[in-house]
Amino acid sequence: MQSLIRALAIPSLRQCPLPFRGFSTTAVSWDRRGSRVELGVDVHQAEDWTAYKPSPGLTFQEGDLVLLRDRSKGMKTLVGPVTAEGVVGSHLGQIKHSQIIGQLPRTEVRTHKGKPFTIHKPTLEEFVLLAPRHATPSYPKDANMMTMMLDVFPGARILEAGTGNGGLTLFLARSACINTLEGKQGKIDTIDIREEHSRKAQQLIAKFERGYYSQFIQFKVGTLSQSLNDHPPTEPYDGIALDMPEPWVELPSALKWLKNDRFLVCYIPNVTQVLQLLSTVRKYKYPLALESVQELNLREWDIRPTYLKAKRPVDQEIPDAPESGVIQPIEEIEPWVCRPTHDPSGHTAFLVKLRKCINIRVEAEAEAETQVEANEASS
């Protein structure tokens, strides 16, 4: 493992440069005993690593969401939208929003108790995990996988049943929003049976990226069949995502509005529900082919430099040294911790991918055979 690390020449955080020229901050690393330490970074180091100057548009403004990261323990807090009079507080002290507005990402701000935090632009993954929850969210690993299984492309029209916390909705909207080549705008129709869930999801989505993706999403309340019957779509969908306890109940309504040879993906917590879904498809002979059933389990690793209490002397003689008795120095290797983290991770759901399969060729042949039989009967 140590030789692999040397071969890869992975730099430590001590060597990580600043993102912008003239931008003063400190870097966090570990000392030889494995403790977190703050290292001052010379602002002039950034000249070797930055080929541009930061634009004023990169700074945080009123209405932005901000991710605060505790410099001592790395804990993350989602804050915002920030306002000129706003204040965020914790046991480490208070930070005024005015300390954040006008600053660049990775700027260090301090609480009134002097505790350091850095400010960051939250990613979609961080937003989904840290946003307030009124329903169980579709975790980023599953939402990402479902987006891939649905083969979402720019300009796609997607139907989602089970808005929930709006996590999957955002992943779908981000992938489908705009097709710049064809000038086509994507659309996500999302339906939830509970009005409160739909309303709060709409409010959450309006906070991310200043509500940019809200223009591509239409929220509806009711059952899937009721919504499709009361407000029929103008054209069929390129994909359908079902996140509900009994997706097989809504299959007849959903299939009518799914393009042929496109995908329907179900988010199902229990394997018995998977069997019920597939048994229903088989029993009623729905035009669906099972493509795959996926379960995602991720394991994060803790990899960091550490400290060896008992070190081998650098000038110790190698056992297989030549008879001349020449002492060869042993290369000192920086020790690393490499092990899985102790964060709990486990089963969230089964992802069932089905493809609509109406064989056009067979239908054409059947029509031709019917015509032949009719001609023979008339003659």
Side-chain angles (χ1 to χ4, degrees):
M1 177 62 72
Q2 301 293 347
S3 60
L4 174 60
I5 293 174
R6 288 203 314 275
L8 293 175
I10 302 175
S12 67
L13 288 181
R14 301 181 181 88
Q15 300 172 310
C16 291
L18 290 170
F20 302 119
R21 178 177 179 179
F23 179 60
S24 177
T25 185
T26 56
V28 176
S29 184
W30 294 270
D31 62 12
R32 297 289 291 180
R33 297 182 181 274
S35 302
R36 293 176 65 91
V37 296
E38 291 189 0
L39 304 175
V41 180
D42 185 357
V43 295
H44 298 294
Q45 292 178 356
E47 297 180 1
D48 299 331
W49 299 96
T50 304
Y52 64 95
K53 294 182 179 180
S55 167
L58 296 176
T59 59
F60 289 104
Q61 303 298 325
E62 284 194 63
D64 285 340
L65 280 179
V66 180
L67 188 74
L68 282 178
R69 185 191 295 269
D70 177 8
R71 294 297 300 274
S72 60
K73 296 184 179 180
M75 299 297 293
K76 302 176 183 178
T77 304
L78 193 63
V79 178
V82 294
T83 60
E85 299 80 16
V87 177
V88 57
S90 70
H91 67 285
L92 297 176
Q94 294 183 346
I95 295 176
K96 296 180 180 179
H97 290 189
S98 57
Q99 296 176 246
I100 299 172
I101 296 174
Q103 301 298 329
L104 290 166
R106 296 203 67 85
T107 299
E108 181 184 285
V109 295
R110 292 182 176 267
T111 67
H112 74 285
K113 295 181 179 180
K115 301 298 182 180
F117 285 78
T118 51
I119 57 177
H120 308 263
K121 179 180 177 181
T123 64
L124 178 54
E125 177 187 13
E126 291 167 334
F127 176 78
V128 170
L129 291 176
L130 299 175
R133 299 180 183 181
H134 56 270
T136 303
S138 298
Y139 289 94
K141 68 181 182 71
D142 294 322
N144 239 337
M145 187 65 176
M146 291 182 72
T147 302
M148 183 183 72
M149 295 171 80
L150 287 167
D151 188 35
V152 180
F153 54 88
R157 290 173 51 85
I158 305 295
L159 173 64
E160 178 194 18
T163 308
N165 216 51
L168 176 60
T169 314
L170 267 175
F171 273 88
L172 294 173
R174 194 181 223 187
S175 299
C177 55
I178 294 179
N179 184 337
T180 55
L181 294 178
E182 299 179 6
K184 184 178 180 181
Q185 178 172 301
K187 183 180 181 183
I188 310 297
D189 287 339
T190 181
I191 306 169
D192 201 286
I193 198 171
R194 298 184 182 182
E195 182 179 0
E196 181 184 7
H197 285 183
S198 181
R199 175 173 51 83
K200 289 187 175 181
Q202 190 169 356
Q203 293 172 353
L204 276 178
I205 291 173
K207 294 180 179 180
F208 185 70
E209 295 284 3
R210 291 177 167 267
Y212 173 76
Y213 296 105
S214 297
Q215 61 183 311
F216 308 108
I217 305 170
Q218 183 174 4
F219 295 87
K220 301 179 181 180
V221 177
T223 63
L224 177 61
S225 55
Q226 175 187 356
S227 179
L228 292 176
N229 290 333
D230 294 346
H231 305 283
T234 56
E235 55 183 294
Y237 293 102
D238 297 294
I240 297 178
L242 302 182
D243 180 3
M244 56 181 62
E246 299 178 341
W248 52 86
V249 175
E250 298 288 1
L251 284 181
S253 300
L255 278 173
K256 294 178 182 178
W257 293 102
L258 178 64
K259 289 182 180 180
N260 195 26
D261 205 38
R262 293 298 297 174
F263 304 103
L264 183 148
V265 177
C266 299
Y267 181 95
I268 303 179
N270 199 301
V271 72
T272 57
Q273 295 170 297
V274 175
L275 297 178
Q276 179 65 49
L277 171 67
L278 300 180
S279 297
T280 302
V281 171
R282 182 181 177 88
K283 178 180 179 180
Y284 293 101
K285 298 181 179 180
Y286 292 139
L288 289 170
L290 177 63
E291 292 274 320
S292 65
V293 178
Q294 304 281 349
E295 178 191 19
L296 299 183
N297 289 312
L298 302 183
R299 185 167 69 168
E300 185 177 355
W301 277 65
D302 178 19
I303 300 181
R304 54 186 169 83
T306 187
Y307 171 76
L308 288 181
K309 294 182 179 179
K311 293 178 59 179
R312 192 177 189 180
V314 175
D315 294 334
Q316 178 179 346
E317 185 176 353
I318 300 177
D320 296 332
E323 296 180 359
S324 60
V326 177
I327 297 177
Q328 300 180 9
I330 300 176
E331 180 183 359
E332 182 179 3
I333 300 175
E334 184 176 18
W336 288 71
V337 169
C338 301
R339 64 190 177 195
T341 62
H342 300 294
D343 294 337
S345 61
H347 171 78
T348 51
F350 294 101
L351 308 180
V352 183
K353 180 180 180 181
L354 302 165
R355 184 196 291 260
K356 187 173 181 179
C357 54
I358 299 177
N359 197 319
I360 307 257
R361 182 182 59 82
V362 172
E363 283 192 351
E365 289 181 356
E367 183 179 350
E369 290 177 359
T370 303
Q371 185 64 36
V372 171
E373 292 176 357
N375 294 338
E376 291 178 352
S378 61
S379 60

